[in-house]
Amino acid sequence: MDSLNIITLTNSNIDSEHICCALSDKKCLNGVKAKKEWLKDRFKDGLIFKKFDVRQKVFIEYIPADNAWCPIEAPGYMFINCFWVAGSYKGKGYGSKLLDECFKDSEGMNGVVVLTSKTKKPYMSDKTFFIKKGFSVCDTASPYFELLVKKFRNEAPDPVFKKCVKESKINNNIMTIYYTEQCPFTDYYIGEIVKRAESIGFPLEIKKIQSKEEAQNAPSPYTTYSVFYNGQFLTHEILNEKKFDKLVEKIKMG
C-alpha cells in the first residue's frame, strides 16, 4: 500500500484523470463528463477529491458541511460526500488511509460527518466501517437514513438533519425522482426510465437539483437520487429499466 500514490484532483488535472466510479461503463460517458463539471464547480466551495493512483474504485470525496449538497445542519464540520473502496483493494487498509486524509484536511474543524443507513445499502457508505473508526449516530431520518459524526471537539453541537427530510414526504401524487450530477450513473439511467415511462404511459416527473441551496432543502438526505411516489419516499437506489418495471408493478398491485 505504501508504494501507491494518492492523487488529489484539481482543475489542472481532472480532465486527464479518471474519477473512479464508472471506469468500464461506456454508457456513462456523458455522466462522467457531467460529474467532472460538477466537481470543478465544487472545488471553489472547498471540495476535496482524493484517490489512489490505480484504475479502480478507491477514492474519497469530502466538502465543508456548509457547502454540502445534503440537507443537514453541521456548522464547522467536514462532510464526506462519497467514499468507495472496491474489488481487490477492499480490506487492505486503503479505506483507512483515505479517511485519515479526510481527518488531516479537517484539522481545526468540529469534526467529520457522513450519511449512512441503518443496514448496508447500495450506493451508500458502510456504517460498520465508520463505527469502528470512532463515529457514532447523531441523527436519523425516515425510513433508514443515519447521520454519523466523529467529533474533534466534544463541546461542538451535534449535526442534525434539516426538518425538510424528517418526514420524507413531498406534495406530489405521481412518481417523482430527484437527482443531481454528483454521480456519473444518474444521467444515463434517468434517460432510460423516462423513455420507459413514456412507452407504458406511466406518469413520471424528474426534478434535477442544480444548486447547493436546492440540495440543502431537498426532501431526502440522499440528493444524488431519490424516488417518491404518491408523496412517499420509496428508494435512493438508481433505477434501470428492469428495476423501474418491478417498482411500477409493485405500485399497481398496491
Side-chain angles (χ1 to χ4, degrees):
M1 183 176 69
D2 293 338
S3 63
L4 295 179
N5 295 323
I6 291 179
I7 296 174
T8 301
L9 293 189
T10 66
N11 283 318
S12 299
N13 65 9
I14 191 171
D15 290 331
S16 59
E17 291 286 345
H18 69 79
I19 55 170
C20 303
C21 312
L23 282 169
S24 60
D25 198 332
K26 305 303 183 191
K27 302 188 300 294
C28 296
L29 290 177
N30 287 336
V32 169
K33 181 179 179 181
K35 166 71 174 184
K36 286 189 173 185
E37 292 303 315
W38 186 88
L39 287 170
K40 290 176 183 178
D41 288 339
R42 304 287 78 72
F43 288 153
K44 65 179 181 291
D45 293 332
L47 184 141
I48 298 172
F49 188 115
K50 293 190 177 185
K51 63 172 186 169
F52 276 98
D53 191 13
V54 293
R55 290 193 64 79
Q56 253 293 2
K57 302 174 182 71
V58 193
F59 71 96
I60 189 169
E61 181 185 318
Y62 44 93
I63 188 171
D66 288 343
N67 291 326
W69 281 42
C70 184
I72 60 173
E73 294 178 359
Y77 285 89
M78 187 73 81
F79 177 75
I80 297 176
N81 197 53
C82 195
F83 188 20
W84 201 349
V85 178
S88 62
Y89 294 90
K90 292 182 67 175
K92 296 182 179 180
Y94 292 97
S96 296
K97 181 66 175 176
L98 290 171
L99 186 59
D100 285 344
E101 290 291 310
C102 176
F103 289 161
K104 285 190 293 185
D105 289 332
S106 305
E107 288 181 3
M109 302 181 75
N110 287 333
V112 178
V113 292
V114 62
L115 176 66
T116 64
S117 51
K118 292 179 182 178
T119 58
K120 193 172 182 179
K121 300 282 186 182
Y123 303 105
M124 297 192 72
S125 295
D126 186 1
K127 172 185 175 180
T128 57
F129 172 82
F130 291 102
I131 296 297
K132 291 177 181 177
K133 296 297 182 181
F135 285 73
S136 59
V137 178
C138 56
D139 202 7
T140 62
S142 180
Y144 48 69
F145 295 107
E146 293 187 336
L147 195 63
L148 271 60
V149 63
K150 183 177 176 68
K151 286 188 175 182
F152 299 157
R153 296 174 177 169
N154 291 331
E155 71 277 10
D158 287 345
V160 295
F161 287 115
K162 287 189 172 182
K163 291 181 180 179
C164 55
V165 302
K166 282 296 186 176
E167 295 297 324
S168 290
K169 293 180 181 179
I170 63 171
N171 294 319
N172 203 337
N173 60 3
I174 64 172
M175 183 179 287
T176 307
I177 300 177
Y178 291 80
Y179 84 103
T180 72
E181 292 177 336
Q182 295 178 78
C183 175
F185 296 104
T186 55
D187 177 77
Y188 174 81
Y189 288 105
I190 285 289
E192 186 178 73
I193 66 167
V194 165
K195 292 178 183 177
R196 180 60 179 163
E198 291 175 349
S199 71
I200 63 174
F202 188 83
L204 175 66
E205 182 176 13
I206 303 297
K207 293 193 174 184
K208 183 178 180 181
I209 299 172
Q210 301 192 70
S211 71
K212 174 182 69 178
E213 291 73 23
E214 288 180 13
Q216 292 181 351
N217 291 283
S220 167
Y222 196 77
T223 57
T224 302
Y225 191 98
S226 284
V227 183
F228 290 79
Y229 180 73
N230 201 21
Q232 302 292 324
F233 174 86
L234 296 183
T235 183
H236 76 283
E237 294 185 38
I238 297 173
L239 302 176
N240 57 23
E241 186 174 318
K242 185 177 180 180
K243 289 181 179 179
F244 175 73
D245 284 347
K246 286 185 176 180
L247 191 56
V248 169
E249 183 179 355
K250 183 178 179 181
I251 289 170
K252 289 181 176 179
M253 290 177 63

